[in-house]
Amino acid sequence: MSNPNATPTTLAYRNHVAVCAATGGTLSKAAWMCFGSGSKPYSPDEDVGLVDEFARVPVVCNVAGTVLTVSGTLTGAMAGNHVLREFSVETDTGVLMGRRVVKPKEFESTSEIELDLDFEY
C-alpha cells in the first residue's frame, strides 16, 4: 500500500470482494461507522465486528484515486458513559471492512468527534 494511513481490510471483506469479482455479484457499499469500547488489538484475518459496540452512524464516503475515505461522527450524547476505544466500518450487509483501536476517549454530552478510515484499492 502506498497510503501509510490505509487500514488493512478484513479477511471477510476481501472474501466478499473476491466472490463478487468471480460471480459478478453486487459489492456491498460502505454504510456504517461503528463505535465501541473494546481494546483487543485489530486482527484483520480474524475480526468480524467490534469487541463491544455501543453506537453506529451512517457514513460519508469520498474517493481520491485509489483511496476510499470513510467518515463518521460520534457525539457525546450517543456515547453516553461509554469510553471510545475502537471504531470500524461495516458494509450495508454487515461485513466488517476494517477496524481501528485508539487511545481511550471520554465524551461530554455536548462534544463530538469525526473519525476517518482510509482503504486503498
Side-chain angles (χ1 to χ4, degrees):
M1 284 189 239
S2 60
N3 180 344
N5 296 321
T7 299
T9 56
T10 64
L11 178 62
Y13 183 70
R14 293 189 311 267
N15 177 261
H16 174 62
V17 171
V19 168
C20 289
T23 65
T26 302
L27 185 63
S28 301
K29 69 177 188 170
W32 300 102
M33 183 163 286
C34 308
F35 304 96
S37 56
S39 58
K40 176 185 158 209
Y42 179 41
S43 176
D45 290 343
E46 297 175 9
D47 287 2
V48 294
L50 291 181
V51 174
D52 190 13
E53 182 178 331
F54 61 79
R56 63 176 49 207
V57 298
V59 298
V60 174
C61 297
N62 291 295
V63 175
T66 61
V67 177
L68 166 64
T69 299
V70 184
S71 304
T73 301
L74 175 66
T75 66
M78 285 188 291
N81 292 327
H82 296 281
V83 175
L84 176 67
R85 290 190 171 97
E86 62 180 338
F87 67 102
S88 66
V89 172
E90 286 189 12
T91 69
D92 58 352
T93 60
V95 177
L96 178 69
M97 293 176 63
R99 176 176 164 260
R100 278 276 164 98
V101 178
V102 295
K103 291 181 181 179
K105 294 171 182 24
E106 294 184 28
F107 294 84
E108 296 177 6
S109 62
T110 57
S111 62
E112 68 179 38
I113 187 171
E114 181 178 319
L115 297 167
D116 297 337
L117 279 180
D118 289 343
F119 300 96
E120 187 167 15
Y121 293 87

